[in-house]
């Protein structure tokens, strides 16, 4: 299951790749790269955009629009359908469909979360290590079943033992518990080393 990346130079660190399933049963890939004992990167690749799904959806909308055109004999119906379909596709690729989510944990600095969208857009969030209280696996009820998700607990600035905010990780890829445990254990190793210093 796990394999090193022979093509990567030694300076980029050791990389492992494992395959897991998400909550829907689709295959996802977890890549774990260790740069040092205090710095690790976890990347989860989601299933790519389904060309068949987009084609079926687009054809369905255009067939419906053509049926309305035949009834109403209004050219605006066809033009509107094409325009709305193109805008909807662009919106989906640029704001909704995420191809990869990355969690970079640097023990002395902080945690960076990056989402890579299908359009090429990137969205990055950075949390300073002084604000991180812990990284935990939490549970929630979703669609009448219990699911698990990884989250970062942020320290309350007023009460040091309290939690001010819970930041979920890997929201789009939705990995199952076995994948989350792999990431959790590595994160705890880094946080534990930082606390002992």
């Amino acid at each position: 299951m796990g394999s090193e990346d022979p093509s990567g130079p030694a300076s980029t660190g050791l990389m492992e790749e494992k395959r897991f399933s998400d909550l829907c049963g689709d295959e996802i890939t977890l890549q774990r790269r260790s740069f040092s004992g205090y710095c690790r990167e976890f990347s989860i690749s989601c299933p790519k955009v389904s060309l068949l799904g987009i084609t079926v959806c687009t054809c369905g909308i255009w067939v419906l629009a053509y049926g309305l055109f035949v009834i109403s004999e209004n050219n605006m119906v066809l033009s509107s359908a094409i325009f709305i379909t193109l805008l909807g596709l662009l919106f989906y690729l640029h704001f909704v469909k995420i191809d990869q989510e990355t969690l970079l944990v640097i023990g002395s600095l902080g945690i960076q979360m990056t989402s890579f969208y299908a359009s090429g857009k990137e969205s990055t969030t950075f949390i300073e290590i002084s604000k991180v209280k812990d990284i935990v696996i939490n549970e929630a009820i979703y669609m009448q079943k219990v699911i698990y998700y990884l989250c970062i607990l942020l320290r309350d600035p007023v009460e040091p033992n309290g939690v001010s905010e819970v930041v979920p990780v890997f929201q789009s890829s939705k990995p199952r518990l076995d994948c989350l445990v792999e990431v959790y254990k590595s994160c705890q190793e880094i946080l534990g080393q930082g606390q002992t210093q």
Side-chain angles (χ1 to χ4, degrees), residues 152-181:
I152 302 167
L153 304 181
L154 300 186
R155 197 180 308 277
D156 192 333
V158 178
E159 186 184 337
N161 293 328
V163 175
S164 65
E165 191 178 346
V166 176
V167 181
V169 183
F170 303 131
Q171 291 185 82
S172 180
S173 50
K174 295 181 174 59
R176 289 186 175 172
L177 183 59
D178 54 352
C179 180
L180 294 176
V181 168

Side-chain angles (χ1 to χ4, degrees), residues 61-62 65 74-87:
I61 292 171
W62 287 359
N74 186 349
N75 287 335
M76 283 299 293
V77 174
L78 289 177
S79 301
S80 298
I82 293 170
F83 185 70
I84 289 170
T85 304
L86 291 176
L87 275 182

Side-chain angles (χ1 to χ4, degrees), residues 4 11 20 50 76 83 102 110 128 147 175 185:
E4 293 182 21
S11 60
F20 294 95
S50 169
M76 283 299 293
F83 185 70
T102 300
E128 294 176 20
I147 63 167
K185 286 180 179 176

Side-chain angles (χ1 to χ4, degrees), residues 12-98:
T12 60
L14 179 68
M15 188 170 80
E16 279 184 274
E17 185 174 298
K18 292 185 178 181
R19 301 193 187 284
F20 294 95
S21 297
D22 65 7
L23 292 178
C24 299
D26 296 323
E27 186 178 276
I28 57 175
T29 304
L30 170 67
Q31 291 181 337
R32 181 174 60 182
R33 180 172 296 189
S34 297
F35 297 100
S36 71
Y38 300 97
C39 180
R40 289 181 198 157
E41 182 182 64
F42 309 92
S43 297
I44 294 184
S45 299
C46 307
K48 299 294 183 186
V49 175
S50 169
L51 189 59
L52 177 63
I54 289 176
T55 304
V56 167
C57 186
T58 303
C59 290
I61 292 171
W62 287 359
V63 166
L64 180 63
Y66 183 74
L68 291 174
F69 164 73
V70 169
I71 294 170
S72 65
E73 296 184 1
N74 186 349
N75 287 335
M76 283 299 293
V77 174
L78 289 177
S79 301
S80 298
I82 293 170
F83 185 70
I84 289 170
T85 304
L86 291 176
L87 275 182
L89 181 59
L90 288 173
F91 180 84
Y92 175 73
L93 294 177
H94 197 67
F95 295 105
V96 178
K97 180 63 178 96
I98 294 176

Side-chain angles (χ1 to χ4, degrees), residues 134-149:
D134 202 358
I135 296 176
V136 299
I137 295 177
N138 208 348
E139 62 182 25
I141 297 174
Y142 175 76
M143 301 288 286
Q144 298 181 344
K145 62 181 179 181
V146 176
I147 63 167
Y148 299 91
Y149 62 95

